[in-house]
Every structure is written in structure tokens, then in C-alpha cells.
Amino acid sequence: MAKRTQSKETGKPRKPKKVGKRKGAGKVLTATDEDFDRRVAAAGGPVLVDLWATWCGPCLALSPVLDELAVEFADRLTVIKVDIDQSPEIGRPLQGAHDPQAPTDHGHTKTEQGGVAAEG
């Protein structure tokens, strides 16, 4: 957190300097296989990437939270969403780690509803 200093002229606290406006500041951007690298490079700082799908319930539930994060941290974070069905190349290196329906070997099993539940 930036320190507030006092103005020599007025003795009143000064507000910290604002960081320059970031590309897409305050809104969630979308990216595809074709423009992902360009969008990340243009962000000019930290980027949170959400790999999501229209059929993914948890992904849809997380969407409003990402919207809030994009606004709250607009001066220091860029949020980019990628629909993995439309842009499969971006998520391919993760080999299913982004897919909430993918079976895992970490004490979880696939449920009939399509989600993942803890064993036990």
C-alpha cells in the first residue's frame, strides 16, 4: 500500500500517485488462440487468465467474482477469459487441469452431475 505524505504547501495528506491506465482496466477481456499472446503482452503487468466453458457450472458461478476483481484491481491486474471450446490450444498444455469434469488422482472422483467430488 502506498504511503500518504503531507503536502508542504497545505499540510494536508496527499493521495498516492495513480498508476497509468492499463489496457482494459476495470473490465474482463476475452482472448482467443489467435490473440492470446498479444493481449497478455499488451496488459503491461500481472494477468489473471480464466479458462472457462459455457457448459461449466463452476466457471459460470466464478464469472461475477472475476468481474469484481477486474474492477477492484483495475490499476494493477488484467483479467482475461478464454473459452476453451472456442480456443482449445491455450488450455491444451494444462491437459485437463482446467476442466472441472476431468477425473483427478487427488482423492476426487467424477460425479454423475459432471462435477468433481471428494472421495470419502
Side-chain angles (χ1 to χ4, degrees):
M1 181 178 277
K3 259 185 164 177
R4 286 186 173 219
T5 59
Q6 288 188 347
S7 167
K8 290 180 183 177
E9 297 83 38
T10 65
K12 294 181 182 177
R14 277 191 250 176
K15 292 183 181 178
K17 291 182 181 178
K18 293 196 176 198
V19 177
K21 185 145 175 117
R22 296 168 52 87
K23 185 168 179 86
K27 53 187 164 172
V28 175
L29 305 177
T30 58
T32 64
D33 286 336
E34 293 76 30
D35 66 1
F36 179 77
D37 291 334
R38 180 180 53 79
R39 286 199 178 263
V40 170
V47 175
L48 180 133
V49 177
D50 177 31
L51 302 177
W52 73 287
T54 56
W55 47 262
C56 171
C59 300
L60 298 175
L62 187 60
S63 189
V65 175
L66 294 175
D67 292 340
E68 289 177 25
L69 288 174
V71 171
E72 185 174 344
F73 297 102
D75 61 336
R76 56 192 160 179
L77 176 71
T78 300
V79 179
I80 298 177
K81 292 181 75 168
V82 179
D83 182 335
I84 60 169
D85 290 331
Q86 301 297 318
S87 301
E89 293 302 314
I90 295 169
R92 196 169 313 261
L94 299 175
Q95 300 175 350
H98 61 280
D99 183 349
Q101 291 186 344
T104 68
D105 61 353
H106 302 288
H108 296 82
T109 56
K110 188 174 176 182
T111 66
E112 288 183 24
Q113 294 81 21
V116 177
E119 291 180 344

